[in-house]
Amino acid sequence: MLPKLPKLTPDEAESLLLKAGFELIRSKGSHRIYIKKNVRVVVPFHSNKILHPKIVKQIVEAVDINF
């Protein structure tokens, strides 16, 4: 059985990415783009809604956290 992904807000996701060494390279509209080496992560910022599980999975894999 797969482990359950955490529910993240955009602010929490941004905090995780920055702690993992990602840099905010640009933002376009309500999306912020972070990069570290050749890994790019796009985080949509929509009024503190919970991020979609696919985006959370992308962030967790990029930061390499085990849940």
Side-chain angles (χ1 to χ4, degrees):
M1 193 165 97
L2 292 172
K4 199 164 169 101
L5 288 172
K7 294 191 185 308
L8 292 177
T9 64
D11 291 324
E12 293 167 339
E14 180 180 48
S15 175
L16 279 175
L17 289 167
L18 293 175
K19 285 179 187 170
F22 280 78
E23 289 184 51
L24 174 64
I25 53 166
R26 65 190 173 99
S27 59
K28 182 173 183 180
S30 60
H31 292 73
R32 296 183 187 171
I33 295 120
Y34 300 88
I35 196 161
K36 179 181 177 185
K37 295 181 182 165
N38 60 352
V39 179
R40 187 181 73 133
V41 180
V42 179
V43 180
F45 274 74
H46 295 287
S47 65
N48 273 353
K49 291 185 180 177
I50 301 296
L51 293 174
H52 190 278
K54 284 184 180 180
I55 296 170
V56 173
K57 184 177 181 201
Q58 179 188 17
I59 292 166
V60 167
E61 287 175 355
V63 181
D64 199 28
I65 296 177
N66 294 320
F67 279 99

